[in-house]
Every structure is written in C-alpha cells, then in structure tokens.
Amino acid sequence: MRNIYLVFILSSIAVLSLSLKENNRDDVCLSTSGERKSAGPPSCYAGEPPNYTTCNASGCHEDFALNSGTALLQLDLGNANNGYEPNQTYTVTISLSRNGMVRGGFELVVLQDDNITTTPGAIILTDAVRTQLVNAANPHSGGCPTQNKTWIEHTANGIDNIENNTISWQFNWQTPATDIGNVTFYLAAVDANKDLDCTGDYVYRLNKTISPLSTSVHELSNGNEISFYPNPVSDILSGTINNSFQ
C-alpha cells in the first residue's frame, strides 16, 4: 500500500510539473483566461537586429517556416513611403490580409541604420485600445534590454477586428528634428487560427528602409555647386546652379 501511495505522489508531482511548464508557455502565447493573448509579444520580437527574433523562432508560433503562409503583410508609411523630412509626423498603417482571416497580431520597431539601440523620433499611439507601446517605461515581458528603443504592438483588444479579410492597425511616427540618415522599420506579424493555443499559426516578417528627403549638393571641378531636390525624386526633379568661380 505504501508503494502504491508513493507512486501516486510521484505521478501527481509529474503532472504538476507538466502543468507548470505548460502554464509558463501560456504566459508567452495565451492570456490567463485562455481566450486571447493578454499583452502582446515581449520586446525585441519584431525581427530587428541584432538577433532578428520573431515569435516564429522563439518556441511559440513555430509550426511553419517564417513567411511561408498565404497572408499578405503590408507596411504603409503614408507620405513617408519615399523618404522622410525632419520634424514631421506621418501616419503609419500595418495590414495583414488573407481569405478567412480570424485573428492577427503584430510588433514593430523603428531603428537608425547606424544606431540600433535608439528609436529615432517618437512613436505616437492613435488607438490606445488596440495598440500599445513597449519601452523602458513599460518593459512588458522583457524580451531584451529596452535601451532607448520603443516598440508598438497589438493589445488583447486589437486582434479580432477583421474587415474584408483584413486586420489593420495605425499609429503616428514623429520624425527627429534633424536629418539622421537612413532609418528602418522592422515588422513581424502573426496570422492566428484562434484555436486558443500557439499551434497552427503563421508568422511573417518584413522591413522597410527610408532615407531623408534632403537636398544633395555636388561640387564641380570648376567651383560651381549644383543642387537637386527633392531627393529621392518621384515625379519632378528641380535643380539650381551657384557659380562661385572667380
């Protein structure tokens, strides 16, 4: 009888250990209610350098290869699609589309090409119900050191708003006061199947780099200066020549 009792105790401990392991996994993938993800992914899950981590590679939504699904992930930078001007505010739209889509999520971060520890400018929430910021003030799950970076991602209320097989989110990006060179937007998103688990979901990743819309000046051998603007050009290229030859 004592041996049977001991086996029962050991079996109970094993079940409890397995349950704790699953609950730890649920802390990453699901909310405590089991109905939806409660707080979005940790920091550093937008596919950015130096580790380029997404939920696909973290032991969470890992059933399928990255970018292997049929959904379309898009990042629209609005008037900044062709470049940015200092001290301006641009509306950014993220969308994830697929026939039959039922649930989706995302995480995005903006980084300078020559400084991956700092988010240039400011990420501004325009929908605090469906999106949230992750930074030093709100470290969230603590996926990595926040440094001077800010991520934006979905909330628990921002994963089910499907219209015409598309889920989308918006926010504003306020650019730095000065020209800081190229900046890159890193974006990862999940097309989830709403099975209340981390299985059967597809993860996508993309990045978009934009340059400052600054005037380019080239010095000619005879002392002339020629300026072209805007840079880069979309429809019309203008130029001026300053003859400084003496």
Side-chain angles (χ1 to χ4, degrees), residues 142-156:
C144 67
T146 56
Q147 298 169 310
N148 294 315
K149 295 179 283 189
T150 297
W151 294 260
I152 184 169
E153 63 187 26
H154 66 269
T155 64

Side-chain angles (χ1 to χ4, degrees), residues 2-71:
R2 290 180 180 177
N3 290 338
I4 295 175
Y5 181 72
L6 179 60
V7 170
F8 174 76
I9 293 295
L10 292 176
S11 298
S12 299
I13 293 174
V15 171
L16 177 60
S17 175
L18 179 61
S19 176
L20 289 175
K21 181 179 179 182
E22 289 300 319
N23 284 338
N24 287 337
R25 187 170 185 265
D26 286 349
D27 286 343
V28 176
C29 298
L30 298 174
S31 68
T32 54
S33 67
E35 295 177 356
R36 60 180 63 205
K37 188 169 182 61
S38 61
S43 53
C44 283
Y45 275 57
E48 72 273 23
N51 297 322
Y52 302 95
T53 303
T54 69
C55 288
N56 173 257
S58 67
C60 192
H61 304 280
E62 59 181 351
D63 283 0
F64 305 107
L66 189 67
N67 291 332
S68 63
T70 59

